[in-house]
Amino acid sequence: MVSRAGRRYTLLAVALGSSLAPFMVAGLTVAIPTVGEEFATDPVTLSWIPTAFFLAAAMFLIPFGRIADIYGMKRLFLIGLAVYLVSALIAALAPTAAVLIGARFFTGAGAAMIFATSFALLGLVLPDSERGTALGINIAASFAGFALGFLAGGLLTYYSTWRVLFLVPLPVALLAIGIIRQNLPGECALSGGTRPDLPGIVLSTTTILLVMVGLSTLPAMQGAAALAAGFAALAAFITRETRTRDPILDLRLLSHNLPLALANGAVLIYTAASFASIYLFSLYFQYVQGFDARLAGGILLATSLITASLVGYAGRLSDRGSPTGVAMAGIAMTVAGLAVLSFIGPAMPVSVAVLALALLVAGTAFFQPPVYSTVIGAAERAMYGVAAGLVETMRLLGMTVSMAVTIVAFAFFFGSTEIAGENAPRLLESMQVLFRIYFVLAVASLPVTYLAGRAGGSAP
């Protein structure tokens, strides 16, 4: 049994760990135009800098979730923090865009270890009555990381260099490591005695890699070939997991648990609809409106503070009332914001675009805590690591899909042409198309979320 002080310190360390990746993602988002200028890259290559992170995190989340169940969540959480340290140093010293993309992929692998264990650790050390609030606090820390990343990205890029961004998280990671080692005794290995399914790990990671690379390179023939190979790997993975004694993902967890399956589906669809908007707005502010990195980062900071301030409140609402109602209210906010942004153009005042973005991110604050609480609550304790890894995989797959759609749109509108001031009308055209696609996806997430709540007995 973990003491009350130990629970508080665990929450603090997990919150710190959960803030690191968002900090680097947000800071780099603001700095993306400057990075593109330094490395002279086209929009498609530039988009792979954030996409590589989400791709790696999505690939390794489920395997690391199962590995954490077997060998210990505390151990894997600490290894993930160490990977953050090394990959951040590589990114800070990257001489080319290719090295930076590789470093971000490495960071994504470390993030997978953190994401696969953070919610599960909280679920294990905290009582059920505090779970929603704790998850809300942890998600708030993630959004706080985004907010600080936007601030640091703008200021450091304007006054110094984007490379310093990757040095800022190092002491935070060291602090989180120290807190966990000092205040969380023992280990949390709920499925000890079993072995990780190595063939299943290879098939699952290969599936995600091939599908996402295929999506991002459509409509080229190699994209279609990668997709076909990815679906073949998926079929082999399903066959393997239904026959092995110790699968990395027990498919019965989904086939026999409708609330869990639907909630994960809602996370995937909603995240695909909402995530890339922040990336697009960084480009919009700096290429269309002509703002410098400092001002662009300040605006994105303000919208992130809205989310961080609301997400804890949303967690408490989900504890006291209907989690499904809270999540659907968040989706409605996002749908409204995307409806406005679908008509973004030269005539739209920047204030209207910013207000629509604020509505979108506020919706995210209300969507995440209740849906995540539903996922953890629907899983058995021995499968907390896998359940946490699964929902985070859906979130990161959604992010990757969102960025893959963006890459396809940029390839269509820009080709190998660099984004520059004279191409601002082309950027606005691509944003209109993208926001309309995201609007359709956000609307589609509404019935899935409702059905997840109804299956679990919490629909409004």
Side-chain angles (χ1 to χ4, degrees), residues 56-305:
M59 286 172 60
F60 296 113
L61 254 174
I62 290 179
F64 283 149
R66 187 57 182 154
I67 289 171
D69 282 333
I70 296 172
Y71 296 111
M73 295 180 188
K74 172 185 169 182
R75 179 178 292 112
L76 204 67
F77 185 83
L78 292 174
I79 293 174
L81 290 171
V83 171
Y84 273 175
L85 293 172
V86 176
S87 61
L89 287 173
I90 296 173
L93 300 173
T96 64
V99 174
L100 180 58
I101 290 171
R104 295 303 292 151
F105 187 89
F106 188 28
T107 305
M113 300 180 193
I114 302 297
F115 296 150
T117 54
S118 58
F119 289 114
L121 277 175
L122 295 178
L124 287 169
V125 303
L126 295 171
D128 292 347
S129 60
E130 299 177 14
R131 182 189 297 146
T133 301
L135 293 177
I137 291 172
N138 194 54
I139 296 171
S142 177
F143 282 114
F146 269 114
L148 292 174
F150 289 134
L151 177 63
L155 294 178
L156 291 174
T157 301
Y158 185 83
Y159 290 109
S160 179
T161 171
W162 57 267
R163 296 177 183 274
V164 181
L165 279 168
F166 296 101
L167 303 179
V168 175
L170 302 187
V172 178
L174 289 172
L175 176 61
I177 289 173
I179 291 174
I180 287 291
R181 291 179 63 88
Q182 191 73 25
N183 295 280
L184 188 61
E187 187 49 270
C188 305
L190 299 178
S191 299
T194 59
R195 293 180 178 273
D197 175 25
L198 293 180
I201 289 174
V202 172
L203 287 171
S204 69
T205 54
T206 301
T207 295
I208 294 174
L209 177 63
L210 289 173
V211 169
M212 291 308 158
V213 170
L215 283 175
S216 64
T217 52
L218 286 176
M221 284 298 298
Q222 58 264 36
L227 273 178
F231 287 124
L234 175 62
F237 171 72
I238 293 173
T239 301
R240 168 72 188 182
E241 296 306 282
T242 55
R243 295 179 178 178
T244 185
R245 187 172 63 179
D246 296 315
I248 62 166
L249 176 61
D250 188 346
L251 296 179
R252 292 172 298 177
L253 188 68
L254 296 176
S255 62
H256 296 171
N257 194 328
L258 188 58
L260 184 66
L262 289 172
N264 275 283
V267 170
L268 172 62
I269 298 170
Y270 176 83
T271 306
S274 60
F275 175 73
S277 299
I278 297 295
Y279 177 75
L280 293 176
F281 263 90
S282 178
L283 302 180
Y284 168 77
F285 288 142
Q286 297 182 67
Y287 285 119
V288 177
Q289 297 299 330
F291 297 164
D292 57 44
R294 178 182 52 178
L295 181 55
I299 297 173
L300 294 175
L301 165 64
T303 59
S304 293
L305 289 176

Side-chain angles (χ1 to χ4, degrees), residues 315-386:
R316 291 191 295 273
L317 278 181
S318 69
D319 282 340
R320 298 171 184 171
S322 167
T324 305
V326 176
M328 292 183 69
I331 297 174
M333 295 178 195
T334 299
V335 167
L338 289 171
V340 175
L341 293 173
S342 296
F343 298 96
I344 194 169
M348 178 177 287
V350 66
S351 59
V352 174
V354 171
L355 287 174
L357 175 63
L359 192 60
L360 192 158
V361 298
T364 301
F366 278 86
F367 174 81
Q368 286 194 358
V371 173
Y372 280 41
S373 184
T374 298
V375 168
I376 297 298
E380 299 176 3
R381 287 179 62 86
M383 298 300 289
Y384 271 3
V386 172

